[in-house]
mmCIF file of all heavy atoms in Angstrom:
data_model
loop_
_atom_site.group_PDB
_atom_site.id
_atom_site.type_symbol
_atom_site.label_atom_id
_atom_site.label_comp_id
_atom_site.label_asym_id
_atom_site.label_seq_id
_atom_site.Cartn_x
_atom_site.Cartn_y
_atom_site.Cartn_z
ATOM 1 N N ILE P 1 0.853 -1.189 0.022
ATOM 2 C CA ILE P 1 -0.020 0.015 -0.027
ATOM 3 C C ILE P 1 0.867 1.249 -0.006
ATOM 4 O O ILE P 1 0.595 2.220 -0.709
ATOM 5 C CB ILE P 1 -0.950 -0.030 1.208
ATOM 6 C CG1 ILE P 1 -1.947 -1.181 1.071
ATOM 7 C CG2 ILE P 1 -1.699 1.313 1.365
ATOM 8 C CD1 ILE P 1 -2.796 -1.402 2.311
ATOM 9 N N VAL P 2 2.005 1.226 0.793
ATOM 10 C CA VAL P 2 2.853 2.395 0.851
ATOM 11 C C VAL P 2 3.470 2.657 -0.484
ATOM 12 O O VAL P 2 3.653 3.831 -0.917
ATOM 13 C CB VAL P 2 3.929 2.185 1.901
ATOM 14 C CG1 VAL P 2 5.045 3.256 1.807
ATOM 15 C CG2 VAL P 2 3.345 2.177 3.304
ATOM 16 N N LEU P 3 3.710 1.610 -1.329
ATOM 17 C CA LEU P 3 4.292 1.822 -2.669
ATOM 18 C C LEU P 3 3.366 2.470 -3.643
ATOM 19 O O LEU P 3 3.750 2.906 -4.714
ATOM 20 C CB LEU P 3 4.760 0.442 -3.186
ATOM 21 C CG LEU P 3 6.045 -0.130 -2.532
ATOM 22 C CD1 LEU P 3 6.348 -1.510 -3.048
ATOM 23 C CD2 LEU P 3 7.218 0.796 -2.758
ATOM 24 N N HIS P 4 2.044 2.536 -3.280
ATOM 25 C CA HIS P 4 1.106 3.226 -4.124
ATOM 26 C C HIS P 4 1.074 4.756 -3.810
ATOM 27 O O HIS P 4 0.553 5.518 -4.601
ATOM 28 C CB HIS P 4 -0.305 2.701 -3.904
ATOM 29 C CG HIS P 4 -0.577 1.392 -4.531
ATOM 30 N ND1 HIS P 4 -0.054 0.231 -4.068
ATOM 31 C CD2 HIS P 4 -1.328 1.082 -5.644
ATOM 32 C CE1 HIS P 4 -0.463 -0.780 -4.890
ATOM 33 N NE2 HIS P 4 -1.248 -0.306 -5.852
ATOM 34 N N LEU P 5 1.703 5.143 -2.720
ATOM 35 C CA LEU P 5 1.573 6.554 -2.318
ATOM 36 C C LEU P 5 2.395 7.500 -3.222
ATOM 37 O O LEU P 5 1.930 8.680 -3.416
ATOM 38 C CB LEU P 5 2.041 6.663 -0.883
ATOM 39 C CG LEU P 5 1.148 5.982 0.158
ATOM 40 C CD1 LEU P 5 1.652 6.214 1.552
ATOM 41 C CD2 LEU P 5 -0.316 6.369 0.020
ATOM 42 N N PRO P 6 3.578 7.159 -3.733
ATOM 43 C CA PRO P 6 4.288 8.149 -4.564
ATOM 44 C C PRO P 6 3.490 8.640 -5.726
ATOM 45 O O PRO P 6 3.537 9.818 -6.058
ATOM 46 C CB PRO P 6 5.551 7.327 -5.007
ATOM 47 C CG PRO P 6 5.757 6.310 -3.938
ATOM 48 C CD PRO P 6 4.393 5.976 -3.454
ATOM 49 N N MET P 7 2.760 7.776 -6.353
ATOM 50 C CA MET P 7 1.943 8.226 -7.502
ATOM 51 C C MET P 7 0.877 9.150 -7.015
ATOM 52 O O MET P 7 0.530 10.130 -7.773
ATOM 53 C CB MET P 7 1.384 6.999 -8.262
ATOM 54 C CG MET P 7 0.725 7.294 -9.571
ATOM 55 S SD MET P 7 0.362 5.748 -10.489
ATOM 56 C CE MET P 7 -0.464 6.449 -11.887
ATOM 57 N N LEU P 8 0.264 8.866 -5.874
ATOM 58 C CA LEU P 8 -0.744 9.758 -5.350
ATOM 59 C C LEU P 8 -0.151 11.118 -4.941
ATOM 60 O O LEU P 8 -0.814 12.146 -5.153
ATOM 61 C CB LEU P 8 -1.406 9.132 -4.126
ATOM 62 C CG LEU P 8 -2.388 7.943 -4.388
ATOM 63 C CD1 LEU P 8 -2.698 7.184 -3.147
ATOM 64 C CD2 LEU P 8 -3.678 8.521 -5.040
ATOM 65 N N VAL P 9 1.064 11.092 -4.404
ATOM 66 C CA VAL P 9 1.657 12.404 -4.022
ATOM 67 C C VAL P 9 1.956 13.177 -5.292
ATOM 68 O O VAL P 9 1.732 14.423 -5.297
ATOM 69 C CB VAL P 9 2.960 12.111 -3.236
ATOM 70 C CG1 VAL P 9 3.761 13.396 -3.022
ATOM 71 C CG2 VAL P 9 2.633 11.455 -1.898
ATOM 72 N N HIS P 10 2.452 12.496 -6.321
ATOM 73 C CA HIS P 10 2.718 13.187 -7.562
ATOM 74 C C HIS P 10 1.390 13.793 -8.151
ATOM 75 O O HIS P 10 1.391 14.944 -8.610
ATOM 76 C CB HIS P 10 3.289 12.189 -8.568
ATOM 77 C CG HIS P 10 3.467 12.764 -9.987
ATOM 78 N ND1 HIS P 10 4.425 13.667 -10.325
ATOM 79 C CD2 HIS P 10 2.688 12.584 -11.097
ATOM 80 C CE1 HIS P 10 4.328 13.973 -11.583
ATOM 81 N NE2 HIS P 10 3.270 13.310 -12.130
ATOM 82 N N ALA P 11 0.320 13.036 -8.077
ATOM 83 C CA ALA P 11 -0.973 13.541 -8.606
ATOM 84 C C ALA P 11 -1.438 14.708 -7.754
ATOM 85 O O ALA P 11 -2.088 15.634 -8.269
ATOM 86 C CB ALA P 11 -2.028 12.390 -8.584
ATOM 87 N N HIS P 12 -1.232 14.717 -6.475
ATOM 88 C CA HIS P 12 -1.643 15.766 -5.626
ATOM 89 C C HIS P 12 -0.919 17.050 -5.924
ATOM 90 O O HIS P 12 -1.550 18.150 -6.003
ATOM 91 C CB HIS P 12 -1.338 15.406 -4.159
ATOM 92 C CG HIS P 12 -1.635 16.574 -3.175
ATOM 93 N ND1 HIS P 12 -2.899 16.997 -2.981
ATOM 94 C CD2 HIS P 12 -0.785 17.258 -2.323
ATOM 95 C CE1 HIS P 12 -2.838 18.028 -2.057
ATOM 96 N NE2 HIS P 12 -1.562 18.166 -1.699
ATOM 97 N N HIS P 13 0.398 17.000 -6.233
ATOM 98 C CA HIS P 13 1.139 18.203 -6.511
ATOM 99 C C HIS P 13 1.051 18.646 -7.963
ATOM 100 O O HIS P 13 1.105 19.939 -8.248
ATOM 101 C CB HIS P 13 2.589 17.983 -6.141
ATOM 102 C CG HIS P 13 2.890 17.835 -4.678
ATOM 103 N ND1 HIS P 13 2.632 18.857 -3.760
ATOM 104 C CD2 HIS P 13 3.342 16.806 -3.966
ATOM 105 C CE1 HIS P 13 2.936 18.446 -2.572
ATOM 106 N NE2 HIS P 13 3.344 17.204 -2.635
ATOM 107 N N MET P 14 0.913 17.718 -8.900
ATOM 108 C CA MET P 14 1.022 18.110 -10.281
ATOM 109 C C MET P 14 -0.310 17.994 -11.037
ATOM 110 O O MET P 14 -0.487 18.670 -12.069
ATOM 111 C CB MET P 14 2.027 17.184 -11.001
ATOM 112 C CG MET P 14 3.382 17.121 -10.346
ATOM 113 S SD MET P 14 4.254 18.780 -10.396
ATOM 114 C CE MET P 14 4.463 18.919 -12.189
ATOM 115 N N MET P 15 -1.255 17.190 -10.547
ATOM 116 C CA MET P 15 -2.436 16.917 -11.364
ATOM 117 C C MET P 15 -3.742 17.269 -10.656
ATOM 118 O O MET P 15 -4.837 16.882 -11.070
ATOM 119 C CB MET P 15 -2.482 15.417 -11.737
ATOM 120 C CG MET P 15 -1.215 14.882 -12.318
ATOM 121 S SD MET P 15 -0.933 15.486 -13.991
ATOM 122 C CE MET P 15 -2.316 14.705 -14.865
ATOM 123 N N GLY P 16 -3.669 17.983 -9.503
ATOM 124 C CA GLY P 16 -4.886 18.345 -8.794
ATOM 125 C C GLY P 16 -5.623 17.121 -8.257
ATOM 126 O O GLY P 16 -6.849 17.059 -8.370
ATOM 127 N N ASN P 17 -4.862 16.127 -7.774
ATOM 128 C CA ASN P 17 -5.442 14.883 -7.210
ATOM 129 C C ASN P 17 -6.134 14.021 -8.237
ATOM 130 O O ASN P 17 -6.925 13.157 -7.889
ATOM 131 C CB ASN P 17 -6.377 15.182 -6.051
ATOM 132 C CG ASN P 17 -5.706 15.889 -4.904
ATOM 133 O OD1 ASN P 17 -4.655 15.407 -4.399
ATOM 134 N ND2 ASN P 17 -6.306 16.972 -4.420
ATOM 135 N N ARG P 18 -5.818 14.179 -9.501
ATOM 136 C CA ARG P 18 -6.455 13.361 -10.544
ATOM 137 C C ARG P 18 -5.499 12.300 -11.044
ATOM 138 O O ARG P 18 -4.332 12.618 -11.448
ATOM 139 C CB ARG P 18 -6.911 14.285 -11.681
ATOM 140 C CG ARG P 18 -7.962 15.279 -11.304
ATOM 141 C CD ARG P 18 -8.206 16.264 -12.403
ATOM 142 N NE ARG P 18 -8.743 15.640 -13.611
ATOM 143 C CZ ARG P 18 -10.047 15.524 -13.813
ATOM 144 N NH1 ARG P 18 -10.950 16.009 -12.953
ATOM 145 N NH2 ARG P 18 -10.545 14.915 -14.897
ATOM 146 N N LEU P 19 -5.933 11.061 -11.095
ATOM 147 C CA LEU P 19 -5.138 9.959 -11.637
ATOM 148 C C LEU P 19 -5.653 9.384 -12.916
ATOM 149 O O LEU P 19 -5.006 8.531 -13.549
ATOM 150 C CB LEU P 19 -5.082 8.830 -10.595
ATOM 151 C CG LEU P 19 -4.266 9.040 -9.300
ATOM 152 C CD1 LEU P 19 -4.419 7.843 -8.416
ATOM 153 C CD2 LEU P 19 -2.796 9.276 -9.663
ATOM 154 N N VAL P 20 -6.866 9.878 -13.365
ATOM 155 C CA VAL P 20 -7.483 9.291 -14.546
ATOM 156 C C VAL P 20 -6.537 9.375 -15.774
ATOM 157 O O VAL P 20 -5.920 10.479 -16.015
ATOM 158 C CB VAL P 20 -8.826 10.016 -14.845
ATOM 159 C CG1 VAL P 20 -8.614 11.471 -15.081
ATOM 160 C CG2 VAL P 20 -9.517 9.364 -16.030
ATOM 161 N N GLY P 21 -6.400 8.284 -16.466
ATOM 162 C CA GLY P 21 -5.597 8.302 -17.649
ATOM 163 C C GLY P 21 -4.107 8.086 -17.386
ATOM 164 O O GLY P 21 -3.321 7.872 -18.333
ATOM 165 N N MET P 22 -3.655 8.107 -16.155
ATOM 166 C CA MET P 22 -2.221 7.979 -15.862
ATOM 167 C C MET P 22 -1.872 6.454 -15.841
ATOM 168 O O MET P 22 -2.573 5.644 -15.271
ATOM 169 C CB MET P 22 -1.854 8.565 -14.465
ATOM 170 C CG MET P 22 -1.992 10.077 -14.441
ATOM 171 S SD MET P 22 -1.567 10.710 -12.751
ATOM 172 C CE MET P 22 0.152 10.142 -12.644
ATOM 173 N N PRO P 23 -0.763 6.108 -16.520
ATOM 174 C CA PRO P 23 -0.330 4.675 -16.410
ATOM 175 C C PRO P 23 0.190 4.371 -15.000
ATOM 176 O O PRO P 23 0.734 5.209 -14.327
ATOM 177 C CB PRO P 23 0.754 4.577 -17.481
ATOM 178 C CG PRO P 23 1.265 5.956 -17.559
ATOM 179 C CD PRO P 23 0.126 6.858 -17.262
ATOM 180 N N MET P 24 0.023 3.130 -14.603
ATOM 181 C CA MET P 24 0.578 2.683 -13.311
ATOM 182 C C MET P 24 2.098 2.554 -13.399
ATOM 183 O O MET P 24 2.647 1.967 -14.315
ATOM 184 C CB MET P 24 -0.055 1.323 -12.910
ATOM 185 C CG MET P 24 -1.568 1.359 -12.656
ATOM 186 S SD MET P 24 -2.243 -0.262 -12.363
ATOM 187 C CE MET P 24 -1.451 -0.690 -10.856
ATOM 188 N N ASP P 25 2.781 3.187 -12.415
ATOM 189 C CA ASP P 25 4.228 3.153 -12.462
ATOM 190 C C ASP P 25 4.777 1.852 -11.866
ATOM 191 O O ASP P 25 3.988 1.047 -11.295
ATOM 192 C CB ASP P 25 4.845 4.384 -11.706
ATOM 193 C CG ASP P 25 4.437 4.353 -10.214
ATOM 194 O OD1 ASP P 25 4.084 3.264 -9.696
ATOM 195 O OD2 ASP P 25 4.504 5.425 -9.558
ATOM 196 N N PRO P 26 6.090 1.570 -12.039
ATOM 197 C CA PRO P 26 6.601 0.320 -11.548
ATOM 198 C C PRO P 26 6.416 0.108 -10.074
ATOM 199 O O PRO P 26 6.281 -1.070 -9.599
ATOM 200 C CB PRO P 26 8.160 0.446 -11.850
ATOM 201 C CG PRO P 26 8.155 1.399 -13.024
ATOM 202 C CD PRO P 26 7.101 2.368 -12.786
ATOM 203 N N TRP P 27 6.449 1.130 -9.234
ATOM 204 C CA TRP P 27 6.253 0.972 -7.833
ATOM 205 C C TRP P 27 4.843 0.453 -7.459
ATOM 206 O O TRP P 27 4.643 -0.361 -6.590
ATOM 207 C CB TRP P 27 6.501 2.329 -7.077
ATOM 208 C CG TRP P 27 7.909 2.762 -7.120
ATOM 209 C CD1 TRP P 27 8.397 3.909 -7.771
ATOM 210 C CD2 TRP P 27 9.057 2.145 -6.549
ATOM 211 N NE1 TRP P 27 9.754 3.930 -7.582
ATOM 212 C CE2 TRP P 27 10.167 2.873 -6.805
ATOM 213 C CE3 TRP P 27 9.189 0.942 -5.770
ATOM 214 C CZ2 TRP P 27 11.461 2.549 -6.422
ATOM 215 C CZ3 TRP P 27 10.494 0.585 -5.338
ATOM 216 C CH2 TRP P 27 11.553 1.387 -5.659
ATOM 217 N N MET P 28 3.841 0.916 -8.270
ATOM 218 C CA MET P 28 2.484 0.431 -8.057
ATOM 219 C C MET P 28 2.334 -1.015 -8.405
ATOM 220 O O MET P 28 1.664 -1.825 -7.751
ATOM 221 C CB MET P 28 1.491 1.281 -8.830
ATOM 222 C CG MET P 28 1.296 2.702 -8.278
ATOM 223 S SD MET P 28 -0.041 3.594 -9.179
ATOM 224 C CE MET P 28 -1.500 2.741 -8.644
ATOM 225 N N HIS P 29 3.004 -1.415 -9.521
ATOM 226 C CA HIS P 29 2.994 -2.824 -9.909
ATOM 227 C C HIS P 29 3.632 -3.703 -8.871
ATOM 228 O O HIS P 29 3.152 -4.784 -8.515
ATOM 229 C CB HIS P 29 3.684 -3.020 -11.299
ATOM 230 C CG HIS P 29 2.876 -2.606 -12.437
ATOM 231 N ND1 HIS P 29 3.081 -1.463 -13.148
ATOM 232 C CD2 HIS P 29 1.794 -3.225 -13.053
ATOM 233 C CE1 HIS P 29 2.208 -1.366 -14.134
ATOM 234 N NE2 HIS P 29 1.447 -2.416 -14.079
ATOM 235 N N LEU P 30 4.764 -3.214 -8.309
ATOM 236 C CA LEU P 30 5.420 -3.946 -7.229
ATOM 237 C C LEU P 30 4.502 -4.015 -5.998
ATOM 238 O O LEU P 30 4.440 -5.043 -5.324
ATOM 239 C CB LEU P 30 6.781 -3.320 -6.875
ATOM 240 C CG LEU P 30 7.557 -3.919 -5.728
ATOM 241 C CD1 LEU P 30 7.865 -5.396 -5.987
ATOM 242 C CD2 LEU P 30 8.826 -3.150 -5.484
ATOM 243 N N GLY P 31 3.863 -2.888 -5.704
ATOM 244 C CA GLY P 31 3.004 -2.840 -4.537
ATOM 245 C C GLY P 31 1.826 -3.821 -4.680
ATOM 246 O O GLY P 31 1.499 -4.535 -3.718
ATOM 247 N N MET P 32 1.229 -3.928 -5.850
ATOM 248 C CA MET P 32 0.130 -4.890 -6.089
ATOM 249 C C MET P 32 0.657 -6.313 -5.953
ATOM 250 O O MET P 32 -0.063 -7.138 -5.384
ATOM 251 C CB MET P 32 -0.499 -4.664 -7.431
ATOM 252 C CG MET P 32 -1.225 -3.347 -7.543
ATOM 253 S SD MET P 32 -2.230 -3.160 -9.045
ATOM 254 C CE MET P 32 -3.605 -4.264 -8.645
ATOM 255 N N ALA P 33 1.856 -6.579 -6.392
ATOM 256 C CA ALA P 33 2.404 -7.935 -6.258
ATOM 257 C C ALA P 33 2.605 -8.256 -4.785
ATOM 258 O O ALA P 33 2.294 -9.406 -4.350
ATOM 259 C CB ALA P 33 3.723 -7.975 -7.006
ATOM 260 N N LEU P 34 3.092 -7.327 -3.998
ATOM 261 C CA LEU P 34 3.269 -7.575 -2.548
ATOM 262 C C LEU P 34 1.936 -7.806 -1.873
ATOM 263 O O LEU P 34 1.811 -8.689 -0.968
ATOM 264 C CB LEU P 34 3.973 -6.396 -1.886
ATOM 265 C CG LEU P 34 5.497 -6.322 -2.188
ATOM 266 C CD1 LEU P 34 6.050 -5.031 -1.593
ATOM 267 C CD2 LEU P 34 6.234 -7.467 -1.592
ATOM 268 N N ILE P 35 0.923 -7.088 -2.232
ATOM 269 C CA ILE P 35 -0.387 -7.275 -1.659
ATOM 270 C C ILE P 35 -0.967 -8.654 -2.025
ATOM 271 O O ILE P 35 -1.532 -9.377 -1.205
ATOM 272 C CB ILE P 35 -1.385 -6.151 -2.104
ATOM 273 C CG1 ILE P 35 -0.930 -4.807 -1.473
ATOM 274 C CG2 ILE P 35 -2.791 -6.448 -1.674
ATOM 275 C CD1 ILE P 35 -1.681 -3.621 -1.997
ATOM 276 N N LEU P 36 -0.817 -9.032 -3.305
ATOM 277 C CA LEU P 36 -1.300 -10.357 -3.717
ATOM 278 C C LEU P 36 -0.547 -11.468 -3.026
ATOM 279 O O LEU P 36 -1.109 -12.543 -2.856
ATOM 280 C CB LEU P 36 -1.114 -10.452 -5.245
ATOM 281 C CG LEU P 36 -2.063 -9.634 -6.071
ATOM 282 C CD1 LEU P 36 -1.678 -9.746 -7.576
ATOM 283 C CD2 LEU P 36 -3.487 -10.057 -5.890
ATOM 284 N N LEU P 37 0.659 -11.209 -2.626
ATOM 285 C CA LEU P 37 1.441 -12.224 -1.874
ATOM 286 C C LEU P 37 1.048 -12.156 -0.367
ATOM 287 O O LEU P 37 0.865 -13.228 0.259
ATOM 288 C CB LEU P 37 2.948 -11.936 -2.002
ATOM 289 C CG LEU P 37 3.899 -12.806 -1.066
ATOM 290 C CD1 LEU P 37 3.836 -14.227 -1.430
ATOM 291 C CD2 LEU P 37 5.298 -12.207 -1.134
ATOM 292 N N GLY P 38 0.826 -10.988 0.179
ATOM 293 C CA GLY P 38 0.637 -10.784 1.587
ATOM 294 C C GLY P 38 -0.722 -11.255 2.032
ATOM 295 O O GLY P 38 -0.842 -11.810 3.157
ATOM 296 N N VAL P 39 -1.806 -11.084 1.224
ATOM 297 C CA VAL P 39 -3.131 -11.426 1.646
ATOM 298 C C VAL P 39 -3.258 -12.908 1.915
ATOM 299 O O VAL P 39 -3.686 -13.320 2.996
ATOM 300 C CB VAL P 39 -4.210 -10.915 0.589
ATOM 301 C CG1 VAL P 39 -5.541 -11.544 0.932
ATOM 302 C CG2 VAL P 39 -4.242 -9.415 0.666
ATOM 303 N N PRO P 40 -2.934 -13.808 0.948
ATOM 304 C CA PRO P 40 -3.056 -15.233 1.330
ATOM 305 C C PRO P 40 -2.103 -15.668 2.405
ATOM 306 O O PRO P 40 -2.429 -16.532 3.194
ATOM 307 C CB PRO P 40 -2.700 -15.954 0.028
ATOM 308 C CG PRO P 40 -1.956 -14.923 -0.823
ATOM 309 C CD PRO P 40 -2.497 -13.626 -0.421
#
């Protein structure tokens, strides 16, 4: 979950809190992989 925050911080400062249309960065992909591992 923490690895998803950099993209949100970037959107807050540069995009007015908007993420629509933005591609997921490598940190978000890694974060989702950790969550998929951590939940089970």
Side-chain angles (χ1 to χ4, degrees):
I1 293 172
V2 170
L3 288 174
H4 283 73
L5 297 182
M7 191 168 176
L8 285 167
V9 172
H10 173 75
H12 174 65
H13 291 297
M14 305 297 295
M15 309 290 292
N17 297 309
R18 296 171 65 91
L19 290 177
V20 60
M22 292 179 63
M24 294 175 64
D25 63 20
W27 293 114
M28 288 185 71
H29 282 104
L30 176 59
M32 292 191 74
L34 284 173
I35 291 171
L36 290 174
L37 171 67
V39 169

